[in-house]
Amino acid sequence: MSISSTIKSIQDIMRKDVGVDGDAQRLSQLVWMLFLKIFDDRESEWELLQDDYQSPLPEAYRWRNWAANAEGMTGEALKQFLDNDMFPALQQLEAKGGDQRAYVIRSVFEDAYNYMKSGQLIRQVINKIEEGVDFNKAQERHLFGDMYEQLLRDLQAAGNAGEFYTPRTVTEFMVRMVNPRLGEKIMDPACGTGGFLSCSIEHIRKQDVKTVDDEAQLQTSIFGIEKKPMPHLLCTTNMILHGIDVPSNIRHDNTLARPLISWGPKERVDVVVTNPPFGGMEEDGIETNFPAAFRTRETADLFLVLIMQMLKPGGRAALVLPDGFLFGEGIKTRIKEKLLEECNLHTIVRLPNGVFAPYTGIKTNLLFFSKGTPTQHIWFYEHPYPPGVKSYNKTKPMKIEEFVAETDWWGSREENQYAWKISIDDIKARNYNLDCKNPHIGEQEIHDPEVLLAQYVAMQADITAWRAQLKDVLNAALKSPPAPLLQRGESQLVQKNNFSEIVENQLTKKSPTLKKGG
């Protein structure tokens, strides 16, 4: 039975349990079980490789001792063991001799919970995992990415907006072009389930890791931060599967919750590869961690400002951003001006519709830049659909072979039907509007229902987001207490400017067009 079939069977069993309310709880239940199973499989390897290996887990809570036996603990005894013994113990797990694995396990279980009420059904789930999942098999490790994608699709269906899987095709291309190397610190500040980090690990191992010392250096060079507990747990598990034995550098936190200036030189990194959340709004107060000129509640914009701060001089970044950032005005214009003055934004790869289907229909772009020298010109590359394809979807996803043309072009930088260059003077004349159309392809009307529907959905989502932001601004203005007479004029001017900026930014910006290349 394949991993995907095993996961489906497990979820069917969980649906019978009265304690599991909806897909989100079902997935949360599955993920902590998978973590313990995978950790146990890795422990089997560590025991073979290390003569003096000591598990950070008390013997009673190791998967092999309470779960692996199909005829083992079940019913009320199993339920009581989980709720009253194992979970409290793992949530307060202390390290033996400073073993950082204990802290990793504790961080994973701080937000985990056993939702299931039936000990008999719990036993059935455990037996399915034990029977169908063996991550000591290389092929099954490789398939774990497919399982992630299925889990995240289920998360999306469960209404957990903001979590979506970056196709491995895109992560591989971005990592290959930014080319992280051994000895560099690699960071994903919104790491999700760890797709960019796992690709970076594979890339560095293939290029540079030749000795045990090389591997030890790699182990300490991977950094990630994830805000939500379930993706954090999945990322931690993913790192263990990819040979990061102690993924203590994968933190459960909100990267944006710290003042920007607190990211000092010691925390600077060489490479950032990420797909920051976009289309969402940060909680109240987060924007005050940023300078006044860049304060916004748009998550992706804040992440870009943070990435510029995080990078060392000469550091490199690759990130995914939506079309709205390219043509956005107001605060977005100031962010783009800062980016082009402090960094060399050398390449923007414009992706077609459907790359992130079914999670979002918004058109996206891959931005590549290095910190330290200002931008002189920007190369654009419009990624075409392969022959016979009108849009990507679940059954026809993007393939890694499609990026061969960009890879071959990357070193030569010559104009062709998909590639063109724009100078910084032209960008300034456009008021930093980076939504530059391919001059080699005339605009053509299209009538593909899937493309038109995706664009319509994207526009509706955009309208809804900005309506919510305008409502927040109005509510805040109405709730503000009257200012003293001497301050009132200044306060009203600031409110007016902020409100005007948002209105101007959203109501006068260019709407997405239903045309090719737009």
Side-chain angles (χ1 to χ4, degrees), residues 198-369:
S198 60
C199 273
S200 297
I201 293 165
E202 292 173 8
H203 180 86
I204 294 170
R205 281 211 180 103
K206 183 177 180 181
Q207 300 291 323
D208 299 322
V209 174
K210 310 296 181 186
T211 67
V212 173
D213 289 340
D214 290 343
E215 177 63 31
Q217 188 174 18
L218 173 60
Q219 293 274 330
T220 61
S221 65
I222 302 296
F223 296 81
I225 304 174
E226 172 53 39
K227 178 180 178 181
K228 298 188 177 182
M230 194 184 306
H232 171 258
L233 198 163
L234 283 166
C235 183
T236 302
T237 307
N238 200 6
M239 293 300 96
I240 291 172
L241 279 173
H242 281 84
I244 304 299
D245 295 344
V246 188
S248 54
N249 290 330
I250 307 301
R251 289 167 31 213
H252 179 204
D253 200 358
N254 182 355
T255 317
L256 302 175
R258 284 174 53 182
L260 186 68
I261 59 172
S262 72
W263 292 90
K266 291 184 178 179
E267 293 180 280
R268 301 280 164 81
V269 299
D270 300 282
V271 175
V272 172
V273 276
T274 188
N275 180 2
F278 50 80
M281 295 293 161
E282 279 299 315
E283 60 195 73
D284 291 341
I286 288 293
E287 69 274 14
T288 61
N289 290 321
F290 291 77
F294 308 119
R295 285 179 186 169
T296 173
R297 290 177 63 196
E298 167 57 50
T299 304
D301 293 351
L302 293 176
F303 267 105
L304 179 52
V305 175
L306 175 63
I307 290 166
M308 287 186 264
Q309 176 78 5
M310 279 182 165
L311 283 174
K312 293 178 180 177
R316 313 179 301 287
L319 69 154
V320 183
L321 284 177
D323 264 8
F325 173 78
L326 298 191
F327 57 71
E329 298 176 349
I331 291 174
K332 284 180 169 61
T333 296
R334 294 198 288 273
I335 294 173
K336 286 181 280 190
E337 185 177 8
K338 176 182 173 67
L339 174 63
L340 297 180
E341 287 177 353
E342 297 183 4
C343 303
N344 178 20
L345 176 60
H346 53 81
T347 312
I348 297 178
V349 176
R350 309 211 64 178
L351 299 179
N353 284 312
V355 173
F356 288 89
Y359 311 113
T360 178
I362 296 174
K363 284 191 70 173
T364 52
N365 307 270
L366 311 181
L367 275 65
F368 298 85
F369 60 88

Side-chain angles (χ1 to χ4, degrees), residues 37-67:
K37 164 61 175 168
I38 290 163
F39 191 83
D40 195 67
D41 284 347
R42 288 290 284 141
E43 284 201 293
S44 296
E45 291 185 32
W46 297 330
E47 287 168 341
L48 290 173
L49 298 172
Q50 304 171 29
D51 293 335
D52 58 347
Y53 177 77
Q54 295 289 321
S55 175
L57 289 165
E59 283 299 312
Y61 307 132
R62 299 178 75 180
W63 177 272
R64 65 191 67 179
N65 293 329
W66 68 270

